[in-house]
Short mmCIF file of all heavy atoms in Angstrom, two decimals:
data_model
loop_
_atom_site.label_atom_id
_atom_site.label_comp_id
_atom_site.label_asym_id
_atom_site.label_seq_id
_atom_site.Cartn_x
_atom_site.Cartn_y
_atom_site.Cartn_z
N ASP A 1 -2.68 24.98 -14.07
CA ASP A 1 -3.05 24.35 -15.33
C ASP A 1 -2.01 23.34 -15.80
O ASP A 1 -2.34 22.38 -16.48
CB ASP A 1 -3.25 25.40 -16.43
CG ASP A 1 -4.51 26.23 -16.20
OD1 ASP A 1 -5.40 25.77 -15.45
OD2 ASP A 1 -4.58 27.33 -16.77
N SER A 2 -0.76 23.53 -15.44
CA SER A 2 0.29 22.63 -15.89
C SER A 2 0.61 21.53 -14.88
O SER A 2 1.47 20.70 -15.14
CB SER A 2 1.56 23.43 -16.22
OG SER A 2 2.06 24.05 -15.04
N TYR A 3 -0.07 21.52 -13.77
CA TYR A 3 0.17 20.51 -12.74
C TYR A 3 -0.26 19.14 -13.24
O TYR A 3 -1.37 18.96 -13.72
CB TYR A 3 -0.57 20.86 -11.45
CG TYR A 3 -0.43 19.81 -10.37
CD1 TYR A 3 0.81 19.56 -9.78
CD2 TYR A 3 -1.52 19.05 -9.97
CE1 TYR A 3 0.95 18.58 -8.81
CE2 TYR A 3 -1.38 18.08 -8.99
CZ TYR A 3 -0.15 17.85 -8.42
OH TYR A 3 -0.02 16.88 -7.46
N ASP A 4 0.62 18.18 -13.15
CA ASP A 4 0.35 16.81 -13.60
C ASP A 4 0.76 15.86 -12.48
O ASP A 4 1.94 15.52 -12.37
CB ASP A 4 1.12 16.54 -14.88
CG ASP A 4 0.85 15.16 -15.46
OD1 ASP A 4 0.20 14.32 -14.80
OD2 ASP A 4 1.31 14.92 -16.59
N PRO A 5 -0.17 15.43 -11.64
CA PRO A 5 0.19 14.58 -10.50
C PRO A 5 0.79 13.24 -10.91
O PRO A 5 1.65 12.72 -10.21
CB PRO A 5 -1.12 14.40 -9.74
CG PRO A 5 -2.20 14.70 -10.73
CD PRO A 5 -1.61 15.68 -11.69
N VAL A 6 0.38 12.70 -12.04
CA VAL A 6 0.96 11.42 -12.50
C VAL A 6 2.41 11.63 -12.90
O VAL A 6 3.28 10.82 -12.55
CB VAL A 6 0.13 10.81 -13.64
CG1 VAL A 6 0.78 9.55 -14.18
CG2 VAL A 6 -1.29 10.52 -13.18
N ARG A 7 2.70 12.72 -13.60
CA ARG A 7 4.08 13.01 -13.97
C ARG A 7 4.93 13.22 -12.72
O ARG A 7 6.07 12.74 -12.64
CB ARG A 7 4.15 14.25 -14.86
CG ARG A 7 5.58 14.54 -15.34
CD ARG A 7 5.69 15.79 -16.18
NE ARG A 7 5.23 16.94 -15.39
CZ ARG A 7 4.39 17.86 -15.82
NH1 ARG A 7 3.88 17.80 -17.03
NH2 ARG A 7 4.02 18.85 -15.04
N ASP A 8 4.38 13.91 -11.72
CA ASP A 8 5.12 14.13 -10.48
C ASP A 8 5.37 12.82 -9.75
O ASP A 8 6.45 12.61 -9.20
CB ASP A 8 4.38 15.11 -9.58
CG ASP A 8 4.40 16.53 -10.11
OD1 ASP A 8 5.16 16.80 -11.08
OD2 ASP A 8 3.68 17.38 -9.56
N ALA A 9 4.38 11.92 -9.74
CA ALA A 9 4.57 10.61 -9.11
C ALA A 9 5.61 9.80 -9.89
O ALA A 9 6.46 9.13 -9.29
CB ALA A 9 3.25 9.86 -9.05
N PHE A 10 5.56 9.86 -11.21
CA PHE A 10 6.52 9.14 -12.05
C PHE A 10 7.95 9.60 -11.74
O PHE A 10 8.87 8.78 -11.74
CB PHE A 10 6.20 9.36 -13.52
CG PHE A 10 7.12 8.63 -14.46
CD1 PHE A 10 6.92 7.28 -14.72
CD2 PHE A 10 8.17 9.29 -15.09
CE1 PHE A 10 7.77 6.60 -15.59
CE2 PHE A 10 9.01 8.61 -15.95
CZ PHE A 10 8.81 7.27 -16.21
N ALA A 11 8.12 10.88 -11.47
CA ALA A 11 9.45 11.42 -11.18
C ALA A 11 10.09 10.73 -9.98
O ALA A 11 11.32 10.59 -9.91
CB ALA A 11 9.38 12.93 -10.96
N VAL A 12 9.28 10.27 -9.04
CA VAL A 12 9.81 9.53 -7.88
C VAL A 12 10.44 8.22 -8.33
O VAL A 12 11.46 7.79 -7.80
CB VAL A 12 8.69 9.26 -6.85
CG1 VAL A 12 9.15 8.35 -5.74
CG2 VAL A 12 8.15 10.57 -6.30
N TYR A 13 9.83 7.59 -9.34
CA TYR A 13 10.32 6.31 -9.85
C TYR A 13 11.38 6.48 -10.93
O TYR A 13 11.96 5.51 -11.39
CB TYR A 13 9.15 5.49 -10.41
CG TYR A 13 8.12 5.15 -9.36
CD1 TYR A 13 6.94 5.87 -9.25
CD2 TYR A 13 8.35 4.12 -8.46
CE1 TYR A 13 6.01 5.57 -8.28
CE2 TYR A 13 7.42 3.81 -7.49
CZ TYR A 13 6.25 4.54 -7.41
OH TYR A 13 5.33 4.24 -6.45
N ASP A 14 11.61 7.70 -11.36
CA ASP A 14 12.62 8.01 -12.38
C ASP A 14 13.56 9.09 -11.84
O ASP A 14 13.64 10.19 -12.37
CB ASP A 14 11.91 8.49 -13.66
CG ASP A 14 12.88 8.80 -14.78
OD1 ASP A 14 14.02 8.29 -14.77
OD2 ASP A 14 12.49 9.58 -15.68
N PRO A 15 14.30 8.77 -10.77
CA PRO A 15 15.12 9.80 -10.12
C PRO A 15 16.27 10.31 -10.99
O PRO A 15 16.76 11.42 -10.77
CB PRO A 15 15.66 9.09 -8.87
CG PRO A 15 15.65 7.65 -9.23
CD PRO A 15 14.45 7.47 -10.12
N HIS A 16 16.67 9.55 -11.99
CA HIS A 16 17.76 9.97 -12.87
C HIS A 16 17.25 10.68 -14.12
O HIS A 16 18.04 11.01 -15.01
CB HIS A 16 18.62 8.76 -13.26
CG HIS A 16 19.11 7.99 -12.08
ND1 HIS A 16 20.03 8.49 -11.18
CD2 HIS A 16 18.78 6.76 -11.61
CE1 HIS A 16 20.25 7.60 -10.22
NE2 HIS A 16 19.49 6.55 -10.46
N GLN A 17 15.93 10.85 -14.19
CA GLN A 17 15.27 11.56 -15.29
C GLN A 17 15.64 10.98 -16.65
O GLN A 17 15.93 11.69 -17.60
CB GLN A 17 15.58 13.05 -15.23
CG GLN A 17 15.10 13.69 -13.95
CD GLN A 17 15.46 15.15 -13.84
OE1 GLN A 17 16.19 15.71 -14.65
NE2 GLN A 17 14.97 15.78 -12.79
N THR A 18 15.58 9.65 -16.73
CA THR A 18 15.87 8.96 -18.00
C THR A 18 14.63 8.84 -18.87
O THR A 18 14.73 8.52 -20.05
CB THR A 18 16.40 7.54 -17.73
OG1 THR A 18 15.39 6.79 -17.05
CG2 THR A 18 17.69 7.57 -16.93
N GLY A 19 13.45 9.04 -18.27
CA GLY A 19 12.21 8.84 -19.00
C GLY A 19 11.64 7.46 -18.81
O GLY A 19 10.59 7.13 -19.35
N PHE A 20 12.34 6.64 -18.03
CA PHE A 20 11.92 5.27 -17.79
C PHE A 20 12.17 4.88 -16.34
O PHE A 20 13.07 5.41 -15.70
CB PHE A 20 12.69 4.29 -18.68
CG PHE A 20 12.56 4.60 -20.14
CD1 PHE A 20 13.56 5.25 -20.82
CD2 PHE A 20 11.41 4.24 -20.82
CE1 PHE A 20 13.44 5.54 -22.17
CE2 PHE A 20 11.26 4.52 -22.17
CZ PHE A 20 12.29 5.18 -22.84
N ILE A 21 11.37 3.95 -15.85
CA ILE A 21 11.59 3.39 -14.51
C ILE A 21 12.55 2.23 -14.70
O ILE A 21 12.25 1.26 -15.40
CB ILE A 21 10.28 2.90 -13.89
CG1 ILE A 21 9.29 4.05 -13.74
CG2 ILE A 21 10.55 2.23 -12.55
CD1 ILE A 21 7.89 3.63 -13.31
N ASP A 22 13.73 2.31 -14.10
CA ASP A 22 14.69 1.23 -14.27
C ASP A 22 14.53 0.16 -13.19
O ASP A 22 13.91 0.39 -12.16
CB ASP A 22 16.13 1.76 -14.33
CG ASP A 22 16.59 2.40 -13.03
OD1 ASP A 22 16.58 1.72 -11.99
OD2 ASP A 22 16.99 3.57 -13.07
N THR A 23 15.07 -1.00 -13.47
CA THR A 23 14.89 -2.13 -12.56
C THR A 23 15.57 -1.90 -11.21
O THR A 23 15.09 -2.38 -10.19
CB THR A 23 15.40 -3.44 -13.19
OG1 THR A 23 16.78 -3.29 -13.58
CG2 THR A 23 14.57 -3.81 -14.41
N GLY A 24 16.66 -1.15 -11.21
CA GLY A 24 17.32 -0.84 -9.95
C GLY A 24 16.42 -0.03 -9.04
O GLY A 24 16.37 -0.26 -7.82
N THR A 25 15.68 0.89 -9.61
CA THR A 25 14.75 1.70 -8.84
C THR A 25 13.60 0.83 -8.32
O THR A 25 13.18 0.97 -7.17
CB THR A 25 14.21 2.87 -9.68
OG1 THR A 25 15.32 3.69 -10.09
CG2 THR A 25 13.24 3.72 -8.89
N LEU A 26 13.10 -0.07 -9.16
CA LEU A 26 12.04 -0.99 -8.70
C LEU A 26 12.53 -1.80 -7.51
O LEU A 26 11.82 -1.95 -6.52
CB LEU A 26 11.62 -1.94 -9.83
CG LEU A 26 10.72 -1.37 -10.90
CD1 LEU A 26 10.51 -2.41 -12.00
CD2 LEU A 26 9.39 -0.94 -10.33
N ARG A 27 13.74 -2.30 -7.61
CA ARG A 27 14.31 -3.09 -6.50
C ARG A 27 14.41 -2.25 -5.22
O ARG A 27 14.07 -2.72 -4.14
CB ARG A 27 15.69 -3.61 -6.88
CG ARG A 27 15.66 -4.67 -7.93
CD ARG A 27 17.09 -5.09 -8.30
NE ARG A 27 17.09 -5.99 -9.41
CZ ARG A 27 16.77 -7.27 -9.35
NH1 ARG A 27 16.43 -7.81 -8.21
NH2 ARG A 27 16.79 -8.02 -10.43
N ARG A 28 14.88 -1.02 -5.36
CA ARG A 28 15.03 -0.14 -4.19
C ARG A 28 13.69 0.15 -3.55
O ARG A 28 13.54 0.13 -2.33
CB ARG A 28 15.73 1.17 -4.59
CG ARG A 28 15.91 2.12 -3.39
CD ARG A 28 16.47 3.46 -3.81
NE ARG A 28 15.78 4.10 -4.92
CZ ARG A 28 14.63 4.77 -4.81
NH1 ARG A 28 14.01 4.86 -3.65
NH2 ARG A 28 14.08 5.34 -5.87
N ILE A 29 12.68 0.42 -4.38
CA ILE A 29 11.36 0.73 -3.86
C ILE A 29 10.80 -0.45 -3.07
O ILE A 29 10.28 -0.28 -1.96
CB ILE A 29 10.41 1.15 -4.99
CG1 ILE A 29 10.84 2.52 -5.52
CG2 ILE A 29 8.95 1.16 -4.54
CD1 ILE A 29 10.21 2.90 -6.83
N PHE A 30 10.90 -1.64 -3.62
CA PHE A 30 10.41 -2.81 -2.91
C PHE A 30 11.17 -3.04 -1.61
O PHE A 30 10.59 -3.38 -0.59
CB PHE A 30 10.46 -4.05 -3.80
CG PHE A 30 9.22 -4.23 -4.61
CD1 PHE A 30 9.01 -3.50 -5.76
CD2 PHE A 30 8.23 -5.11 -4.20
CE1 PHE A 30 7.86 -3.64 -6.50
CE2 PHE A 30 7.06 -5.26 -4.92
CZ PHE A 30 6.88 -4.52 -6.09
N HIS A 31 12.48 -2.81 -1.66
CA HIS A 31 13.28 -2.94 -0.44
C HIS A 31 12.86 -1.91 0.60
O HIS A 31 12.65 -2.23 1.77
CB HIS A 31 14.76 -2.79 -0.77
CG HIS A 31 15.65 -2.99 0.40
ND1 HIS A 31 16.07 -1.95 1.18
CD2 HIS A 31 16.17 -4.12 0.94
CE1 HIS A 31 16.82 -2.42 2.16
NE2 HIS A 31 16.90 -3.73 2.04
N ASP A 32 12.70 -0.65 0.16
CA ASP A 32 12.31 0.43 1.07
C ASP A 32 10.91 0.21 1.65
O ASP A 32 10.62 0.67 2.76
CB ASP A 32 12.36 1.78 0.36
CG ASP A 32 13.78 2.22 0.04
OD1 ASP A 32 14.74 1.56 0.50
OD2 ASP A 32 13.92 3.21 -0.71
N LEU A 33 10.05 -0.48 0.92
CA LEU A 33 8.70 -0.78 1.42
C LEU A 33 8.69 -1.96 2.39
O LEU A 33 7.65 -2.30 2.94
CB LEU A 33 7.75 -1.06 0.25
CG LEU A 33 7.39 0.14 -0.60
CD1 LEU A 33 6.61 -0.30 -1.83
CD2 LEU A 33 6.58 1.15 0.21
N GLY A 34 9.86 -2.57 2.59
CA GLY A 34 9.96 -3.66 3.55
C GLY A 34 9.78 -5.05 2.96
O GLY A 34 9.64 -6.02 3.70
N TYR A 35 9.79 -5.15 1.62
CA TYR A 35 9.62 -6.45 0.99
C TYR A 35 10.93 -7.19 0.79
O TYR A 35 10.95 -8.32 0.30
CB TYR A 35 8.91 -6.30 -0.37
CG TYR A 35 7.49 -5.84 -0.23
CD1 TYR A 35 7.12 -4.55 -0.61
CD2 TYR A 35 6.51 -6.67 0.28
CE1 TYR A 35 5.81 -4.11 -0.47
CE2 TYR A 35 5.20 -6.24 0.42
CZ TYR A 35 4.87 -4.96 0.03
OH TYR A 35 3.58 -4.53 0.17
N GLY A 36 12.04 -6.59 1.15
CA GLY A 36 13.34 -7.22 1.01
C GLY A 36 13.80 -7.24 -0.44
O GLY A 36 13.38 -6.43 -1.26
N GLU A 37 14.66 -8.20 -0.71
CA GLU A 37 15.19 -8.34 -2.06
C GLU A 37 14.13 -8.95 -2.98
O GLU A 37 13.41 -9.85 -2.58
CB GLU A 37 16.44 -9.23 -2.05
CG GLU A 37 17.59 -8.66 -1.25
CD GLU A 37 18.07 -7.31 -1.77
OE1 GLU A 37 18.22 -7.15 -3.01
OE2 GLU A 37 18.30 -6.42 -0.94
N ILE A 38 14.07 -8.47 -4.19
CA ILE A 38 13.10 -8.98 -5.16
C ILE A 38 13.87 -9.76 -6.23
O ILE A 38 14.92 -9.32 -6.71
CB ILE A 38 12.27 -7.84 -5.77
CG1 ILE A 38 11.20 -8.38 -6.69
CG2 ILE A 38 13.12 -6.82 -6.44
CD1 ILE A 38 10.17 -7.34 -7.10
N ALA A 39 13.37 -10.94 -6.55
CA ALA A 39 14.03 -11.83 -7.51
C ALA A 39 13.97 -11.24 -8.92
O ALA A 39 13.05 -10.49 -9.27
CB ALA A 39 13.35 -13.20 -7.50
N ASP A 40 14.96 -11.59 -9.74
CA ASP A 40 15.00 -11.14 -11.13
C ASP A 40 13.71 -11.48 -11.86
O ASP A 40 13.20 -10.68 -12.64
CB ASP A 40 16.17 -11.77 -11.87
CG ASP A 40 17.52 -11.27 -11.39
OD1 ASP A 40 17.57 -10.21 -10.73
OD2 ASP A 40 18.53 -11.94 -11.67
N GLU A 41 13.20 -12.68 -11.62
CA GLU A 41 11.96 -13.11 -12.28
C GLU A 41 10.79 -12.21 -11.91
O GLU A 41 9.94 -11.90 -12.74
CB GLU A 41 11.63 -14.56 -11.93
CG GLU A 41 12.66 -15.57 -12.40
CD GLU A 41 13.86 -15.70 -11.46
OE1 GLU A 41 13.79 -15.23 -10.29
OE2 GLU A 41 14.88 -16.24 -11.90
N ASP A 42 10.74 -11.78 -10.66
CA ASP A 42 9.66 -10.90 -10.21
C ASP A 42 9.79 -9.51 -10.83
O ASP A 42 8.78 -8.90 -11.19
CB ASP A 42 9.64 -10.80 -8.69
CG ASP A 42 9.26 -12.12 -8.03
OD1 ASP A 42 8.55 -12.92 -8.67
OD2 ASP A 42 9.68 -12.35 -6.88
N VAL A 43 11.00 -9.02 -10.97
CA VAL A 43 11.22 -7.74 -11.64
C VAL A 43 10.76 -7.85 -13.09
O VAL A 43 10.09 -6.95 -13.61
CB VAL A 43 12.70 -7.30 -11.56
CG1 VAL A 43 12.96 -6.09 -12.45
CG2 VAL A 43 13.10 -7.00 -10.13
N ASP A 44 11.11 -8.96 -13.73
CA ASP A 44 10.70 -9.16 -15.13
C ASP A 44 9.17 -9.15 -15.25
O ASP A 44 8.62 -8.58 -16.20
CB ASP A 44 11.25 -10.48 -15.67
CG ASP A 44 12.76 -10.46 -15.84
OD1 ASP A 44 13.36 -9.36 -15.84
OD2 ASP A 44 13.34 -11.56 -15.97
N VAL A 45 8.49 -9.77 -14.30
CA VAL A 45 7.02 -9.79 -14.33
C VAL A 45 6.47 -8.38 -14.14
O VAL A 45 5.55 -7.97 -14.86
CB VAL A 45 6.46 -10.75 -13.24
CG1 VAL A 45 4.97 -10.56 -13.06
CG2 VAL A 45 6.78 -12.19 -13.59
N LEU A 46 7.03 -7.63 -13.21
CA LEU A 46 6.57 -6.25 -12.99
C LEU A 46 6.73 -5.39 -14.25
O LEU A 46 5.81 -4.67 -14.64
CB LEU A 46 7.34 -5.60 -11.84
CG LEU A 46 7.02 -6.11 -10.45
CD1 LEU A 46 8.03 -5.56 -9.45
CD2 LEU A 46 5.61 -5.71 -10.06
N VAL A 47 7.88 -5.51 -14.88
CA VAL A 47 8.11 -4.73 -16.10
C VAL A 47 7.14 -5.19 -17.19
O VAL A 47 6.53 -4.37 -17.87
CB VAL A 47 9.58 -4.85 -16.57
CG1 VAL A 47 9.76 -4.23 -17.95
CG2 VAL A 47 10.51 -4.20 -15.56
#
């Protein structure tokens, strides 16, 4: 009853448990997915 798959997925993007997805994590995810470095402007658009 308490299982929340969205909350569990969010935890992957919030590894420091701040309650927010930080830009450093966004950059790491894109890098890990093989997209390389992401420009500041692109991070701003994502946020």
Side-chain angles (χ1 to χ4, degrees):
D1 289 340
S2 64
Y3 177 66
D4 183 351
V6 176
R7 183 183 59 228
D8 289 350
F10 181 81
V12 173
Y13 298 100
D14 182 22
H16 306 293
Q17 299 177 354
T18 62
F20 303 101
I21 299 172
D22 65 58
T23 56
T25 301
L26 283 175
R27 290 177 187 284
R28 180 186 50 79
I29 290 166
F30 272 79
H31 183 267
D32 291 351
L33 289 172
Y35 293 109
E37 297 299 316
I38 185 168
D40 291 342
E41 297 82 16
D42 293 333
V43 170
D44 292 344
V45 168
L46 288 170
V47 171

